[in-house]
Amino acid sequence: DTEVTQTPKHLVMGMTNKKSLKCEQHMGHRAMYWYKQKAKKPPELMFVYSYEKLSINESVPSRFSPECPNSSLLNLHLHALQPEDSALYLCASSQDDRGFEQYFGPGTRLTVT
Amino acid sequence: GEDVEQSLFLSVREGDSSVINCTYTDSSSTYLYWYKQEPGAGLQLLTYIFSNMDMKQDQRLTVLLNKKDKHLSLRIADTQTGDSAIYFCAESTGTALIFGKGTTLSVSS
């Protein structure tokens, strides 16, 4: 089983809202990732968690706040977003933080109004 | 710097072979990957190749790697309409995956 699940599938939020994206994997992977993908563009890395600790933050604005409650779960907390933050947010996981064989979830389509 | 280049579009007829090309710049890349993304979906890992290999075959997929020219290709045999999607080449530079801009494959029946 190489499944990574993400909820919700779609999210519409206003600029003053607070919401969270969730990601889950049960493959025993110890690294988890958040990517942002704009339309017709490749995914861009946002955060990497390795063994439940934040190991990479690609200079992401503080209105995005990641959290890794345990080795299977990854959250992305959203607050005071801007319309330009509208995108597909993809979660991925891999065995370890060497990035080998990253498996992606279906993504959350976020629209900020 | 790190950069991955792909042609943006490829159009083929059903039953033909498709060849998607990619060039990369980081000679220290350990693994090179091909991902498939269908409309509105996440990325599906199709196949990967170690940098010390020059070819890998997996059913209808053949990956060729030319390390000297830093050129990677994905051949899809007997292309089907279900293969229509965006195909991303990616190189691994440790933790990060560096993606190309993606090649949109259009298959007509």
Side-chain angles (χ1 to χ4, degrees), chain A residues 5-78:
Chain A
T5 59
Q6 290 187 243
T7 55
K9 191 173 173 61
H10 300 279
L11 178 63
V12 179
M13 60 185 291
M15 290 189 283
T16 58
N17 291 159
K18 284 186 181 181
K19 296 286 185 183
S20 297
L21 310 185
K22 296 185 185 304
C23 173
E24 190 166 5
Q25 57 88 13
H26 294 288
M27 295 178 277
H29 288 174
R30 302 314 302 266
M32 296 185 76
Y33 311 77
W34 281 115
Y35 287 83
K36 174 182 177 179
Q37 186 180 26
K38 300 283 275 185
K40 300 191 186 306
K41 299 287 187 185
E44 294 178 344
L45 183 66
M46 299 174 72
F47 302 104
V48 180
Y49 271 83
S50 175
Y51 293 85
E52 300 161 49
K53 290 189 178 355
L54 182 64
S55 62
I56 293 180
N57 175 341
E58 291 286 352
S59 303
V60 179
S62 59
R63 59 186 183 269
F64 295 91
S65 175
E67 179 197 19
C68 189
N70 60 54
S71 60
S72 300
L73 292 174
L74 185 66
N75 298 322
L76 186 63
H77 302 298
L78 313 172

Side-chain angles (χ1 to χ4, degrees), chain B residues 25-54:
Chain B
T25 55
D26 191 339
S27 57
S28 66
S29 294
T30 311
Y31 307 109
L32 295 143
Y33 301 87
W34 285 104
Y35 282 88
K36 175 185 179 182
Q37 187 174 34
E38 297 184 41
L43 274 70
Q44 176 191 354
L45 177 59
L46 282 179
T47 187
Y48 60 86
I49 189 167
F50 292 103
S51 58
N52 63 357
M53 298 170 65
D54 51 21

Side-chain angles (χ1 to χ4, degrees), chain A residues 37 42 97-98 100-102 104 106, chain B residues 33 35 37 42-43 94-95 100:
Chain A
Q37 186 180 26
D97 65 359
R98 288 176 297 166
F100 176 57
E101 277 192 89
Q102 290 186 28
F104 284 78
Chain B
Y33 301 87
Y35 282 88
Q37 187 174 34
L43 274 70
T95 300

